[in-house]
Amino acid sequence: MKTNRVKLIFVGGFLGAGKTTLLQQASALLAAGGRSVGLITNDQADALVDTHLLTKQNSMTREISGSCFCCNYEGFAGVLSELAGRHTAPDVIIAEPVGSCTDISATLLQPLKSQMQAVIELAPFTVLADPEKLERILDGDPADLHPSAAYIYRKQLEESDRILISKTDTIRPERLQVLTEKVKLAFPDHEVGTISARRGTGVKEWLDQVLQGTVSGSRIAAIDYDVYAEGEAVLGWLNASVLLQGTAVDWDRFLENYFHRLNALLGSPAGIGHIKILIEGMGDRYCIGNQTGAGHTLQFRNSAGISNIAQMTINARVEADPAALEQMVFAALAQSAEGGLFYEIRQCRSLRPGYPRPTHRYSHVVS
Ligand SMILES: Nc1nc2c(ncn2[C@@H]2O[C@H](COP(=O)(O)OP(=O)(O)OP(=O)(O)O)[C@@H](O)[C@H]2O)c(=O)[nH]1
Ligand SMILES: [Mg+2]
């Protein structure tokens, strides 16, 4: 076991803010600098696209599924101890909480400071916010979210140590400057930064700052748990894993067609938290599609190539009844499979997140 404490970085922020993309970039940068990295993902159910993606790059990736970190503190602490206790323990661990989760300072950071100081050293708690939603939220608009989900968005910003405006490549520099000033005005005691994980801009600077920073969980937000619970419960949550089989299928085109059909069934774009779909073809080939709101947010990356068999992992967080969401997800699959493609649903879990009941909730900041 290492004698030095392992640095633990939490990267929070609402669904689709860019957390996993930052984890990928940051861990690659750390690895290139000779530092080993452990990653911890979190979801309400297993078959998480993020875990599949991160595992491709980093074998020290762990997933806590079935509940958020806060409601399974012991599970999270157990994974931390396992990683930190390895013969080849990582130098840095980066953890990504569920995007609809808040009150992380009171329920995770304070207990960790109090109970695991011997093992880990907490970095400043960063919350990512994508410019489009952030701009609207700051203007008092719910940004196509249910008002209680917008409440969670605001609370995530409020409880953080560091607000990081993400996806800066999607906004003009002058607008970014105004937005940054607005954030500083709304949160005068927070550190505020900007980043484009896609372009790599600001990733090194952010890493240097959080690795040097020693103050974490510097504030606890007042959270109305009934509103928080409602903000989570309006989201239907679906994780599914599907085996696809056909003849020389172009999986990238299949994925585009699938999104097209699913959007047609979903109708109004309002209420899409994040739909992320991974298709893994032969060898290491994969493609991924992400949609974090209206149609213009849909992005495709990589290529799964052409083959006969592929594995599809579907994660959808949409303001819809879970049963209705499941029905639409599979109706779109049935439509996309017309013309000789077979599919087998290997696993499917659809749910409405339950009332958040954290293991611990500290009312004071632990020094
Ligand atoms: N243009 C642009 N897109 C980005 C950037 N960072 C992330 N994205 C895109 O935003 C979408 C969501 O990114 P993720 O990293 O999966 O977001 P997340 O916060 O982990 O999402 P959840 O885990 O569902 O909460 C994907 O399409 C990413 O490619 C960025 O810097 N620029
Ligand atoms: Mg993620």
Side-chain angles (χ1 to χ4, degrees), residues 56-100:
K56 288 180 189 300
Q57 182 189 330
N58 187 321
S59 60
M60 268 198 281
T61 300
R62 302 286 183 274
E63 176 183 294
I64 304 271
S65 58
S67 88
C68 57
F69 291 150
C70 331
C71 297
N72 183 9
Y73 177 85
E74 300 308 335
F76 181 71
V79 167
L80 274 185
S81 301
E82 180 261 317
L83 282 173
R86 283 166 58 107
H87 178 59
T88 50
D91 300 303
V92 178
I93 295 174
I94 316 180
E96 175 185 340
V98 177
S100 61

mmCIF file of all heavy atoms in Angstrom, residues 56-100:
data_model
loop_
_atom_site.group_PDB
_atom_site.id
_atom_site.type_symbol
_atom_site.label_atom_id
_atom_site.label_comp_id
_atom_site.label_asym_id
_atom_site.label_seq_id
_atom_site.Cartn_x
_atom_site.Cartn_y
_atom_site.Cartn_z
ATOM 1 N N LYS A 56 -12.512 0.962 -21.296
ATOM 2 C CA LYS A 56 -11.722 0.756 -22.515
ATOM 3 C C LYS A 56 -10.364 1.437 -22.387
ATOM 4 O O LYS A 56 -9.382 1.027 -22.980
ATOM 5 C CB LYS A 56 -12.454 1.345 -23.728
ATOM 6 C CG LYS A 56 -13.666 0.537 -24.157
ATOM 7 C CD LYS A 56 -14.332 1.192 -25.360
ATOM 8 C CE LYS A 56 -15.660 0.527 -25.667
ATOM 9 N NZ LYS A 56 -15.568 -0.907 -25.972
ATOM 10 N N GLN A 57 -10.342 2.530 -21.616
ATOM 11 C CA GLN A 57 -9.133 3.353 -21.507
ATOM 12 C C GLN A 57 -8.372 3.069 -20.223
ATOM 13 O O GLN A 57 -7.163 3.203 -20.161
ATOM 14 C CB GLN A 57 -9.584 4.818 -21.552
ATOM 15 C CG GLN A 57 -8.497 5.830 -21.495
ATOM 16 C CD GLN A 57 -9.106 7.232 -21.324
ATOM 17 O OE1 GLN A 57 -10.204 7.524 -21.767
ATOM 18 N NE2 GLN A 57 -8.370 8.104 -20.669
ATOM 19 N N ASN A 58 -9.108 2.682 -19.185
ATOM 20 C CA ASN A 58 -8.474 2.574 -17.872
ATOM 21 C C ASN A 58 -9.007 1.351 -17.127
ATOM 22 O O ASN A 58 -10.200 1.270 -16.842
ATOM 23 C CB ASN A 58 -8.787 3.857 -17.081
ATOM 24 C CG ASN A 58 -8.041 3.919 -15.774
ATOM 25 O OD1 ASN A 58 -7.885 2.917 -15.075
ATOM 26 N ND2 ASN A 58 -7.565 5.094 -15.420
ATOM 27 N N SER A 59 -8.102 0.422 -16.831
ATOM 28 C CA SER A 59 -8.553 -0.829 -16.203
ATOM 29 C C SER A 59 -8.899 -0.643 -14.726
ATOM 30 O O SER A 59 -9.568 -1.473 -14.131
ATOM 31 C CB SER A 59 -7.487 -1.905 -16.358
ATOM 32 O OG SER A 59 -6.310 -1.449 -15.731
ATOM 33 N N MET A 60 -8.440 0.472 -14.144
ATOM 34 C CA MET A 60 -8.792 0.711 -12.728
ATOM 35 C C MET A 60 -10.100 1.511 -12.657
ATOM 36 O O MET A 60 -10.187 2.542 -12.005
ATOM 37 C CB MET A 60 -7.666 1.452 -12.009
ATOM 38 C CG MET A 60 -6.678 0.486 -11.349
ATOM 39 S SD MET A 60 -5.678 1.306 -10.111
ATOM 40 C CE MET A 60 -4.476 2.138 -11.089
ATOM 41 N N THR A 61 -11.101 1.047 -13.373
ATOM 42 C CA THR A 61 -12.418 1.706 -13.364
ATOM 43 C C THR A 61 -13.379 0.852 -12.548
ATOM 44 O O THR A 61 -13.462 -0.352 -12.744
ATOM 45 C CB THR A 61 -12.948 1.862 -14.811
ATOM 46 O OG1 THR A 61 -12.028 2.651 -15.560
ATOM 47 C CG2 THR A 61 -14.306 2.550 -14.826
ATOM 48 N N ARG A 62 -14.052 1.473 -11.640
ATOM 49 C CA ARG A 62 -15.030 0.760 -10.793
ATOM 50 C C ARG A 62 -16.380 1.453 -10.922
ATOM 51 O O ARG A 62 -16.449 2.661 -11.159
ATOM 52 C CB ARG A 62 -14.603 0.813 -9.314
ATOM 53 C CG ARG A 62 -13.232 0.231 -9.035
ATOM 54 C CD ARG A 62 -13.254 -1.295 -9.097
ATOM 55 N NE ARG A 62 -11.946 -1.849 -8.759
ATOM 56 C CZ ARG A 62 -10.938 -2.029 -9.618
ATOM 57 N NH1 ARG A 62 -11.076 -1.669 -10.884
ATOM 58 N NH2 ARG A 62 -9.794 -2.556 -9.225
ATOM 59 N N GLU A 63 -17.451 0.678 -10.726
ATOM 60 C CA GLU A 63 -18.798 1.251 -10.829
ATOM 61 C C GLU A 63 -19.575 0.943 -9.550
ATOM 62 O O GLU A 63 -19.542 -0.171 -9.058
ATOM 63 C CB GLU A 63 -19.511 0.612 -12.028
ATOM 64 C CG GLU A 63 -20.954 1.051 -12.184
ATOM 65 C CD GLU A 63 -21.665 0.329 -13.341
ATOM 66 O OE1 GLU A 63 -21.289 0.547 -14.504
ATOM 67 O OE2 GLU A 63 -22.587 -0.460 -13.052
ATOM 68 N N ILE A 64 -20.230 1.967 -9.039
ATOM 69 C CA ILE A 64 -21.185 1.744 -7.944
ATOM 70 C C ILE A 64 -22.551 1.878 -8.599
ATOM 71 O O ILE A 64 -22.904 2.955 -9.073
ATOM 72 C CB ILE A 64 -21.073 2.822 -6.847
ATOM 73 C CG1 ILE A 64 -19.663 2.914 -6.293
ATOM 74 C CG2 ILE A 64 -22.118 2.624 -5.761
ATOM 75 C CD1 ILE A 64 -19.356 2.026 -5.140
ATOM 76 N N SER A 65 -23.302 0.793 -8.659
ATOM 77 C CA SER A 65 -24.615 0.904 -9.293
ATOM 78 C C SER A 65 -25.703 0.462 -8.322
ATOM 79 O O SER A 65 -25.440 -0.206 -7.338
ATOM 80 C CB SER A 65 -24.661 0.092 -10.585
ATOM 81 O OG SER A 65 -24.364 -1.246 -10.322
ATOM 82 N N GLY A 66 -26.912 0.862 -8.644
ATOM 83 C CA GLY A 66 -28.044 0.479 -7.785
ATOM 84 C C GLY A 66 -28.481 1.618 -6.896
ATOM 85 O O GLY A 66 -29.616 1.663 -6.444
ATOM 86 N N SER A 67 -27.584 2.551 -6.641
ATOM 87 C CA SER A 67 -27.961 3.762 -5.906
ATOM 88 C C SER A 67 -26.822 4.761 -6.057
ATOM 89 O O SER A 67 -25.744 4.401 -6.512
ATOM 90 C CB SER A 67 -28.212 3.467 -4.430
ATOM 91 O OG SER A 67 -27.031 3.553 -3.703
ATOM 92 N N CYS A 68 -27.113 6.022 -5.678
ATOM 93 C CA CYS A 68 -26.054 7.020 -5.831
ATOM 94 C C CYS A 68 -24.995 6.818 -4.732
ATOM 95 O O CYS A 68 -25.223 6.092 -3.767
ATOM 96 C CB CYS A 68 -26.642 8.413 -5.798
ATOM 97 S SG CYS A 68 -27.562 8.738 -4.311
ATOM 98 N N PHE A 69 -23.843 7.472 -4.898
ATOM 99 C CA PHE A 69 -22.764 7.360 -3.890
ATOM 100 C C PHE A 69 -23.298 7.710 -2.504
ATOM 101 O O PHE A 69 -22.975 7.063 -1.517
ATOM 102 C CB PHE A 69 -21.627 8.342 -4.188
ATOM 103 C CG PHE A 69 -20.798 8.055 -5.422
ATOM 104 C CD1 PHE A 69 -20.202 9.111 -6.124
ATOM 105 C CD2 PHE A 69 -20.583 6.768 -5.859
ATOM 106 C CE1 PHE A 69 -19.408 8.875 -7.238
ATOM 107 C CE2 PHE A 69 -19.789 6.516 -6.981
ATOM 108 C CZ PHE A 69 -19.206 7.575 -7.669
ATOM 109 N N CYS A 70 -24.100 8.792 -2.462
ATOM 110 C CA CYS A 70 -24.538 9.320 -1.153
ATOM 111 C C CYS A 70 -25.404 8.318 -0.393
ATOM 112 O O CYS A 70 -25.338 8.241 0.828
ATOM 113 C CB CYS A 70 -25.343 10.595 -1.313
ATOM 114 S SG CYS A 70 -24.936 11.571 -2.728
ATOM 115 N N CYS A 71 -26.231 7.593 -1.143
ATOM 116 C CA CYS A 71 -27.148 6.653 -0.485
ATOM 117 C C CYS A 71 -26.483 5.302 -0.266
ATOM 118 O O CYS A 71 -27.068 4.408 0.354
ATOM 119 C CB CYS A 71 -28.427 6.504 -1.297
ATOM 120 S SG CYS A 71 -29.325 8.068 -1.417
ATOM 121 N N ASN A 72 -25.288 5.131 -0.799
ATOM 122 C CA ASN A 72 -24.519 3.901 -0.557
ATOM 123 C C ASN A 72 -23.094 4.305 -0.184
ATOM 124 O O ASN A 72 -22.130 3.929 -0.854
ATOM 125 C CB ASN A 72 -24.548 3.018 -1.812
ATOM 126 C CG ASN A 72 -23.822 1.702 -1.603
ATOM 127 O OD1 ASN A 72 -23.430 1.368 -0.473
ATOM 128 N ND2 ASN A 72 -23.640 0.948 -2.675
ATOM 129 N N TYR A 73 -22.998 5.088 0.892
ATOM 130 C CA TYR A 73 -21.691 5.591 1.314
ATOM 131 C C TYR A 73 -20.736 4.436 1.587
ATOM 132 O O TYR A 73 -19.554 4.488 1.218
ATOM 133 C CB TYR A 73 -21.844 6.465 2.569
ATOM 134 C CG TYR A 73 -20.523 6.958 3.107
ATOM 135 C CD1 TYR A 73 -19.936 8.109 2.584
ATOM 136 C CD2 TYR A 73 -19.849 6.269 4.116
ATOM 137 C CE1 TYR A 73 -18.719 8.556 3.051
ATOM 138 C CE2 TYR A 73 -18.622 6.712 4.589
ATOM 139 C CZ TYR A 73 -18.058 7.860 4.059
ATOM 140 O OH TYR A 73 -16.845 8.291 4.516
ATOM 141 N N GLU A 74 -21.251 3.378 2.248
ATOM 142 C CA GLU A 74 -20.369 2.261 2.606
ATOM 143 C C GLU A 74 -19.810 1.611 1.340
ATOM 144 O O GLU A 74 -18.636 1.236 1.300
ATOM 145 C CB GLU A 74 -21.116 1.209 3.446
ATOM 146 C CG GLU A 74 -21.690 1.728 4.773
ATOM 147 C CD GLU A 74 -20.662 2.459 5.649
ATOM 148 O OE1 GLU A 74 -19.464 2.180 5.508
ATOM 149 O OE2 GLU A 74 -21.063 3.329 6.442
ATOM 150 N N GLY A 75 -20.654 1.468 0.328
ATOM 151 C CA GLY A 75 -20.208 0.885 -0.935
ATOM 152 C C GLY A 75 -19.112 1.741 -1.565
ATOM 153 O O GLY A 75 -18.092 1.235 -2.039
ATOM 154 N N PHE A 76 -19.317 3.060 -1.531
ATOM 155 C CA PHE A 76 -18.334 3.968 -2.116
ATOM 156 C C PHE A 76 -17.016 3.913 -1.334
ATOM 157 O O PHE A 76 -15.937 3.796 -1.914
ATOM 158 C CB PHE A 76 -18.885 5.397 -2.155
ATOM 159 C CG PHE A 76 -17.935 6.382 -2.761
ATOM 160 C CD1 PHE A 76 -17.678 6.359 -4.127
ATOM 161 C CD2 PHE A 76 -17.270 7.315 -1.980
ATOM 162 C CE1 PHE A 76 -16.780 7.252 -4.704
ATOM 163 C CE2 PHE A 76 -16.367 8.208 -2.550
ATOM 164 C CZ PHE A 76 -16.127 8.184 -3.912
ATOM 165 N N ALA A 77 -17.141 3.961 -0.007
ATOM 166 C CA ALA A 77 -15.934 3.920 0.831
ATOM 167 C C ALA A 77 -15.197 2.589 0.645
ATOM 168 O O ALA A 77 -13.961 2.545 0.654
ATOM 169 C CB ALA A 77 -16.328 4.120 2.305
ATOM 170 N N GLY A 78 -15.963 1.523 0.436
ATOM 171 C CA GLY A 78 -15.353 0.203 0.213
ATOM 172 C C GLY A 78 -14.534 0.188 -1.067
ATOM 173 O O GLY A 78 -13.411 -0.335 -1.104
ATOM 174 N N VAL A 79 -15.081 0.787 -2.136
ATOM 175 C CA VAL A 79 -14.354 0.837 -3.412
ATOM 176 C C VAL A 79 -13.097 1.701 -3.275
ATOM 177 O O VAL A 79 -12.022 1.353 -3.776
ATOM 178 C CB VAL A 79 -15.281 1.362 -4.540
ATOM 179 C CG1 VAL A 79 -14.492 1.732 -5.785
ATOM 180 C CG2 VAL A 79 -16.323 0.319 -4.884
ATOM 181 N N LEU A 80 -13.232 2.814 -2.544
ATOM 182 C CA LEU A 80 -12.063 3.677 -2.311
ATOM 183 C C LEU A 80 -10.967 2.897 -1.594
ATOM 184 O O LEU A 80 -9.790 2.950 -1.980
ATOM 185 C CB LEU A 80 -12.450 4.845 -1.405
ATOM 186 C CG LEU A 80 -13.038 6.100 -2.008
ATOM 187 C CD1 LEU A 80 -13.207 7.153 -0.922
ATOM 188 C CD2 LEU A 80 -12.154 6.632 -3.139
ATOM 189 N N SER A 81 -11.349 2.166 -0.547
ATOM 190 C CA SER A 81 -10.360 1.411 0.237
ATOM 191 C C SER A 81 -9.724 0.330 -0.622
ATOM 192 O O SER A 81 -8.515 0.093 -0.540
ATOM 193 C CB SER A 81 -11.021 0.744 1.450
ATOM 194 O OG SER A 81 -11.612 1.719 2.252
ATOM 195 N N GLU A 82 -10.537 -0.307 -1.454
ATOM 196 C CA GLU A 82 -9.994 -1.371 -2.320
ATOM 197 C C GLU A 82 -8.946 -0.781 -3.268
ATOM 198 O O GLU A 82 -7.841 -1.303 -3.412
ATOM 199 C CB GLU A 82 -11.142 -2.022 -3.106
ATOM 200 C CG GLU A 82 -10.725 -3.155 -4.041
ATOM 201 C CD GLU A 82 -10.579 -2.715 -5.501
ATOM 202 O OE1 GLU A 82 -11.425 -1.963 -6.014
ATOM 203 O OE2 GLU A 82 -9.575 -3.114 -6.112
ATOM 204 N N LEU A 83 -9.308 0.363 -3.921
ATOM 205 C CA LEU A 83 -8.371 0.969 -4.877
ATOM 206 C C LEU A 83 -7.114 1.469 -4.170
ATOM 207 O O LEU A 83 -5.989 1.212 -4.600
ATOM 208 C CB LEU A 83 -9.043 2.138 -5.614
ATOM 209 C CG LEU A 83 -10.000 1.793 -6.755
ATOM 210 C CD1 LEU A 83 -10.712 3.047 -7.256
ATOM 211 C CD2 LEU A 83 -9.264 1.120 -7.908
ATOM 212 N N ALA A 84 -7.324 2.159 -3.056
ATOM 213 C CA ALA A 84 -6.175 2.747 -2.337
ATOM 214 C C ALA A 84 -5.312 1.660 -1.695
ATOM 215 O O ALA A 84 -4.126 1.875 -1.445
ATOM 216 C CB ALA A 84 -6.682 3.718 -1.275
ATOM 217 N N GLY A 85 -5.894 0.497 -1.444
ATOM 218 C CA GLY A 85 -5.148 -0.577 -0.775
ATOM 219 C C GLY A 85 -4.427 -1.495 -1.743
ATOM 220 O O GLY A 85 -3.716 -2.415 -1.323
ATOM 221 N N ARG A 86 -4.605 -1.263 -3.033
ATOM 222 C CA ARG A 86 -3.944 -2.126 -4.019
ATOM 223 C C ARG A 86 -2.434 -1.997 -3.918
ATOM 224 O O ARG A 86 -1.915 -0.946 -3.551
ATOM 225 C CB ARG A 86 -4.355 -1.702 -5.436
ATOM 226 C CG ARG A 86 -5.737 -2.139 -5.854
ATOM 227 C CD ARG A 86 -6.138 -1.391 -7.096
ATOM 228 N NE ARG A 86 -5.189 -1.631 -8.168
ATOM 229 C CZ ARG A 86 -5.437 -2.397 -9.227
ATOM 230 N NH1 ARG A 86 -6.603 -2.956 -9.377
ATOM 231 N NH2 ARG A 86 -4.521 -2.567 -10.159
ATOM 232 N N HIS A 87 -1.757 -3.071 -4.332
ATOM 233 C CA HIS A 87 -0.295 -3.020 -4.371
ATOM 234 C C HIS A 87 0.131 -1.883 -5.308
ATOM 235 O O HIS A 87 1.077 -1.146 -5.025
ATOM 236 C CB HIS A 87 0.216 -4.381 -4.852
ATOM 237 C CG HIS A 87 1.697 -4.431 -4.973
ATOM 238 N ND1 HIS A 87 2.526 -4.201 -3.896
ATOM 239 C CD2 HIS A 87 2.492 -4.661 -6.048
ATOM 240 C CE1 HIS A 87 3.781 -4.277 -4.317
ATOM 241 N NE2 HIS A 87 3.785 -4.551 -5.604
ATOM 242 N N THR A 88 -0.594 -1.775 -6.405
ATOM 243 C CA THR A 88 -0.331 -0.662 -7.333
ATOM 244 C C THR A 88 -1.489 0.332 -7.221
ATOM 245 O O THR A 88 -2.300 0.455 -8.149
ATOM 246 C CB THR A 88 -0.253 -1.188 -8.777
ATOM 247 O OG1 THR A 88 -1.409 -2.009 -9.002
ATOM 248 C CG2 THR A 88 1.002 -1.980 -9.037
ATOM 249 N N ALA A 89 -1.570 0.969 -6.095
ATOM 250 C CA ALA A 89 -2.670 1.922 -5.867
ATOM 251 C C ALA A 89 -2.529 3.114 -6.813
ATOM 252 O O ALA A 89 -1.416 3.519 -7.146
ATOM 253 C CB ALA A 89 -2.635 2.407 -4.424
ATOM 254 N N PRO A 90 -3.638 3.670 -7.261
ATOM 255 C CA PRO A 90 -3.542 4.847 -8.130
ATOM 256 C C PRO A 90 -3.030 6.070 -7.363
ATOM 257 O O PRO A 90 -3.198 6.153 -6.148
ATOM 258 C CB PRO A 90 -4.991 5.063 -8.589
ATOM 259 C CG PRO A 90 -5.839 4.384 -7.574
ATOM 260 C CD PRO A 90 -5.035 3.282 -6.981
ATOM 261 N N ASP A 91 -2.431 7.011 -8.085
ATOM 262 C CA ASP A 91 -2.020 8.276 -7.461
ATOM 263 C C ASP A 91 -3.232 9.175 -7.280
ATOM 264 O O ASP A 91 -3.305 9.954 -6.343
ATOM 265 C CB ASP A 91 -1.007 9.004 -8.358
ATOM 266 C CG ASP A 91 0.236 8.168 -8.593
ATOM 267 O OD1 ASP A 91 0.864 7.798 -7.591
ATOM 268 O OD2 ASP A 91 0.546 7.865 -9.765
ATOM 269 N N VAL A 92 -4.151 9.069 -8.240
ATOM 270 C CA VAL A 92 -5.320 9.942 -8.244
ATOM 271 C C VAL A 92 -6.557 9.093 -8.530
ATOM 272 O O VAL A 92 -6.508 8.183 -9.366
ATOM 273 C CB VAL A 92 -5.185 11.021 -9.371
ATOM 274 C CG1 VAL A 92 -6.410 11.917 -9.423
ATOM 275 C CG2 VAL A 92 -3.922 11.842 -9.202
ATOM 276 N N ILE A 93 -7.644 9.387 -7.832
ATOM 277 C CA ILE A 93 -8.929 8.752 -8.153
ATOM 278 C C ILE A 93 -9.894 9.867 -8.556
ATOM 279 O O ILE A 93 -9.979 10.894 -7.874
ATOM 280 C CB ILE A 93 -9.502 7.981 -6.939
ATOM 281 C CG1 ILE A 93 -8.581 6.802 -6.582
ATOM 282 C CG2 ILE A 93 -10.921 7.478 -7.233
ATOM 283 C CD1 ILE A 93 -8.986 6.051 -5.311
ATOM 284 N N ILE A 94 -10.595 9.659 -9.661
ATOM 285 C CA ILE A 94 -11.605 10.639 -10.074
ATOM 286 C C ILE A 94 -12.965 9.937 -10.042
ATOM 287 O O ILE A 94 -13.121 8.852 -10.598
ATOM 288 C CB ILE A 94 -11.334 11.217 -11.479
ATOM 289 C CG1 ILE A 94 -9.850 11.579 -11.664
ATOM 290 C CG2 ILE A 94 -12.208 12.444 -11.723
ATOM 291 C CD1 ILE A 94 -9.509 12.158 -13.034
ATOM 292 N N ALA A 95 -13.909 10.562 -9.345
ATOM 293 C CA ALA A 95 -15.234 9.949 -9.181
ATOM 294 C C ALA A 95 -16.297 10.833 -9.803
ATOM 295 O O ALA A 95 -16.273 12.054 -9.641
ATOM 296 C CB ALA A 95 -15.523 9.734 -7.701
ATOM 297 N N GLU A 96 -17.228 10.202 -10.502
ATOM 298 C CA GLU A 96 -18.330 10.925 -11.166
ATOM 299 C C GLU A 96 -19.660 10.517 -10.546
ATOM 300 O O GLU A 96 -20.149 9.424 -10.788
ATOM 301 C CB GLU A 96 -18.348 10.589 -12.670
ATOM 302 C CG GLU A 96 -19.545 11.203 -13.376
ATOM 303 C CD GLU A 96 -19.684 10.817 -14.847
ATOM 304 O OE1 GLU A 96 -18.692 10.387 -15.471
ATOM 305 O OE2 GLU A 96 -20.807 10.963 -15.369
ATOM 306 N N PRO A 97 -20.252 11.377 -9.736
ATOM 307 C CA PRO A 97 -21.570 11.042 -9.179
ATOM 308 C C PRO A 97 -22.667 11.114 -10.241
ATOM 309 O O PRO A 97 -22.472 11.721 -11.300
ATOM 310 C CB PRO A 97 -21.808 12.130 -8.113
ATOM 311 C CG PRO A 97 -20.656 13.067 -8.181
ATOM 312 C CD PRO A 97 -19.786 12.714 -9.346
ATOM 313 N N VAL A 98 -23.811 10.529 -9.952
ATOM 314 C CA VAL A 98 -24.964 10.575 -10.865
ATOM 315 C C VAL A 98 -25.341 12.041 -11.134
ATOM 316 O O VAL A 98 -25.357 12.865 -10.211
ATOM 317 C CB VAL A 98 -26.171 9.845 -10.220
ATOM 318 C CG1 VAL A 98 -27.399 9.958 -11.118
ATOM 319 C CG2 VAL A 98 -25.839 8.387 -9.959
ATOM 320 N N GLY A 99 -25.662 12.343 -12.391
ATOM 321 C CA GLY A 99 -25.913 13.726 -12.799
ATOM 322 C C GLY A 99 -27.145 14.374 -12.191
ATOM 323 O O GLY A 99 -27.294 15.589 -12.246
ATOM 324 N N SER A 100 -28.023 13.581 -11.597
ATOM 325 C CA SER A 100 -29.210 14.167 -10.970
ATOM 326 C C SER A 100 -29.045 14.245 -9.457
ATOM 327 O O SER A 100 -30.015 14.469 -8.735
ATOM 328 C CB SER A 100 -30.449 13.327 -11.307
ATOM 329 O OG SER A 100 -30.269 12.015 -10.805
#
